[in-house]
């Protein structure tokens, strides 16, 4: 079974930085994408950044140039470096792995962590 656990959230002032980590446990031999989402009360979860298995990257327009997604295959960890934070970046950030396979020909499944709170004050 695959588990994702986020850490690194907290409260910062506008202009500050945080680095979120998503520790992945369990066996994954392939995946379609690893993502960071943000959710605020009363709003749908939105994709902030994602990385594909072949290293393709994409970001929400609102975070381009400020956020960087990366992964460490040795540590089995996904990161989200957030710089120049703004109050509108506030929310619960969660990581997800979509289309993951535990074996080469096994079925694909999606996994998601519980999230970590990020609060940016003006």
């Amino acid at each position: 079974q695959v588990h994702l656990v986020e850490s690194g959230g907290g409260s910062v002032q506008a202009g500050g930085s945080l680095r979120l980590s998503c520790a992945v446990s369990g066996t994954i031999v392939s995946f379609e994408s690893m993502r960071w989402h943000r959710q605020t009360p009363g709003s749908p979860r939105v994709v902030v950044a994602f990385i594909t298995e072949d290293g393709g990257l994409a970001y929400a327009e609102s975070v381009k140039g400020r956020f960087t997604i990366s992964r460490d295959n040795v540590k089995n960890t996904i990161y989200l470096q957030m710089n120049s934070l703004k109050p509108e970046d506030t929310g619960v950030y969660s990581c997800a792995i979509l289309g993951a396979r535990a074996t080469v020909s096994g079925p694909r499944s999606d996994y998601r962590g519980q999230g970590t709170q990020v609060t940016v004050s003006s």
Side-chain angles (χ1 to χ4, degrees):
Q1 183 66 298
V2 175
H3 293 283
L4 281 61
V5 179
E6 301 92 340
S7 62
S11 297
V12 296
Q13 290 192 328
S17 298
L18 285 173
R19 188 175 81 155
L20 305 183
S21 299
C22 174
V24 181
S25 62
T27 301
I28 295 177
V29 299
S30 68
F31 63 93
E32 294 176 346
S33 67
M34 294 179 172
R35 304 183 177 202
W36 282 99
H37 294 89
R38 178 178 66 231
Q39 187 163 24
T40 55
S43 299
R45 185 169 54 233
V46 298
V47 177
V48 173
F50 73 83
I51 183 169
T52 61
E53 187 171 29
D54 62 0
L57 303 172
Y59 297 92
E61 197 64 36
S62 61
V63 307
K64 280 183 180 178
R66 300 188 297 121
F67 290 14
T68 303
I69 186 173
S70 62
R71 63 185 175 112
D72 185 324
N73 294 331
V74 175
K75 295 182 178 180
N76 292 328
T77 302
I78 311 165
Y79 299 102
L80 185 67
Q81 178 67 45
M82 306 188 295
N83 299 326
S84 302
L85 283 161
K86 303 176 181 180
E88 51 264 44
D89 295 322
T90 294
V92 175
Y93 285 74
S94 60
C95 59
I97 301 178
L98 276 62
R101 282 187 167 143
T103 59
V104 173
S105 59
R108 292 189 181 276
S109 299
D110 299 341
Y111 302 96
R112 190 181 314 281
Q114 292 297 308
T116 183
Q117 176 70 43
V118 171
T119 303
V120 185
S121 58
S122 58

